[in-house]
Amino acid sequence: MKSFSRLLPLAARALGAALVLSTVPVAATTVAATTAAAASVEGMRAPAAPTVSEQDVMPHLRALQRIADRNGGNRAHGTRGYAESVAYLRHALDRAGFHTELRRFDHGGEAGYNLIADWPGGDPNHVLLTGAHLDSVKQGPGINDNGSGSAAVLTTALQVAEARLKPARHLRFAWWGAEEVGLVGSADYVKGLSPDDRKAIDLYLNFDQTGSKNTKQWLVVKDGQQADSAAGQAFESWFAARGLATFDVGVGGSDNESFGKAGIPSSGFSTGISDCIHDACDNLANVDPATETTSTNALVGVVWQLAATTPATTRP
């Protein structure tokens, strides 16, 4: 998320190359040192989550930086840099055994794409959807905003595949286009859901700027719905068990907003505004690898926890 009083989105950049697609705050949370990480959802024990290292997540950010470098310094909506970013992720997901799909939308006279990846198995009537926006602004490569969130979600998905996880819920991962010009990709996805598909999504988890330098606390999204409360508490417990501070924030400023407007419970987190945002300096040097790795492990841990069971009731 850009901030909780973000500026108006920037206008979309004109398409400069053909697509090459290869296949604020509402309440403070005080951390208690004695709080233990939640080990179960609704009383059932989750399988042990793997732990990732810097070597698991940072190569994806380096790849996104290289893509920007060879495409005019950005990965914005409607550009070859964005198309190559989608292709990079899709290739990794296809190789890992996901069913991937590109969903096209149009904005500003340019084609945009959401990348959707489904892990086989799990209850299709209970979907845990995890996502991040993949596009940058045209002024820079967007490595923290939001290569960091995209890389954390990708790393989590690849861990699911490596573990051959057999979740109770169906796991879906998504990377949204055109967030920087008004949450366009995620809004288009939600708009295209049938009533049954919308009802099947138990929870959406969003990650925007997960590697900011000088992070003092993780900003955990809470929208007040019951399913969201369980997810928010899971994130807070994970951080608290490691002596890391969190702060509750409302839905808004990133793709959570698209889901919240549709009544779909939403959570996730951000590390807040980075040292550089929406400019050429949002490059690899703008990401703290240790923070990015911690954020990714939090995401992995909570996805493992939430995937282990389905809720007792279905949303109306």
Side-chain angles (χ1 to χ4, degrees):
M1 49 191 74
K2 307 300 162 283
S3 74
F4 302 98
S5 57
R6 60 186 287 173
L7 299 176
L8 292 175
L10 298 170
R13 182 181 183 179
L15 181 62
L19 287 173
V20 181
L21 296 172
S22 67
T23 4
V24 197
V26 293
T29 300
T30 302
V31 174
T34 58
T35 304
S40 63
V41 178
E42 297 172 0
M44 297 183 66
R45 184 162 297 278
T51 299
V52 302
S53 69
E54 181 180 323
Q55 287 67 42
D56 294 308
V57 63
M58 291 303 294
H60 303 308
L61 289 174
R62 289 193 284 272
L64 293 176
Q65 179 72 68
R66 289 193 297 271
I67 289 170
D69 289 345
R70 63 176 176 258
N71 288 288
N74 73 79
R75 304 178 301 98
H77 166 69
T79 69
R80 188 183 181 98
Y82 181 74
E84 289 190 11
S85 299
V86 172
Y88 170 80
L89 268 67
R90 191 179 194 187
H91 178 69
L93 293 159
D94 285 341
R95 289 187 62 186
F98 282 84
H99 171 73
T100 63
E101 178 185 2
L102 291 177
R103 297 197 181 182
R104 175 176 170 154
F105 59 89
D106 293 285
H107 179 75
E110 308 296 349
Y113 292 88
N114 294 323
L115 173 61
I116 311 298
D118 285 271
W119 180 244
D123 188 342
N125 294 314
H126 292 285
V127 176
L128 176 61
L129 174 58
T130 302
H133 80 85
L134 183 57
D135 63 312
S136 74
V137 296
K138 64 181 180 180
Q139 290 89 344
I143 300 303
N144 192 45
D145 183 19
N146 185 38
S148 63
S150 293
V153 173
L154 176 61
T155 302
T156 301
L158 296 179
Q159 289 296 310
V160 166
E162 184 173 335
R164 312 308 297 173
L165 191 64
K166 298 184 183 302
R169 303 190 206 216
H170 180 73
L171 299 183
R172 180 174 300 149
F173 298 87
W175 292 265
W176 312 118
E179 188 268 0
E180 295 288 7
V181 293
L183 315 181
V184 177
S186 58
D188 185 81
Y189 174 83
V190 172
K191 181 181 178 181
L193 293 171
S194 70
D196 285 344
D197 287 340
R198 185 176 299 189
K199 183 179 179 181
I201 300 174
D202 290 338
L203 180 66
Y204 172 63
L205 302 177
N206 190 72
F207 302 90
D208 195 341
Q209 295 194 68
T210 57
S212 301
K213 289 185 171 181
N214 304 313
T215 294
K216 304 300 183 184
Q217 56 190 356
W218 275 255
L219 308 180
V220 176
V221 174
K222 289 189 174 181
D223 70 9
Q225 299 193 56
Q226 184 175 359
D228 162 73
S229 297
Q233 183 57 52
F235 283 119
E236 289 177 346
S237 296
W238 192 96
F239 287 115
R242 292 153 181 83
L244 300 172
T246 58
F247 196 90
D248 296 354
V249 297
V251 174
S254 190
D255 293 297
N256 302 78
E257 191 172 323
S258 299
F259 291 85
K261 288 179 177 177
I264 298 172
S266 176
S267 188
F269 63 78
S270 172
T271 52
I273 299 299
S274 64
D275 292 344
C276 174
I277 187 169
H278 293 178
D279 211 337
C281 54
D282 188 9
N283 53 29
L284 273 174
N286 195 41
V287 172
D288 176 48
T291 299
E292 175 71 359
T293 303
T294 297
S295 291
T296 305
N297 276 307
L299 172 50
V300 171
V302 172
V303 164
W304 247 250
Q305 182 178 330
L306 296 175
T309 62
T310 57
T313 58
T314 302
R315 286 192 302 108

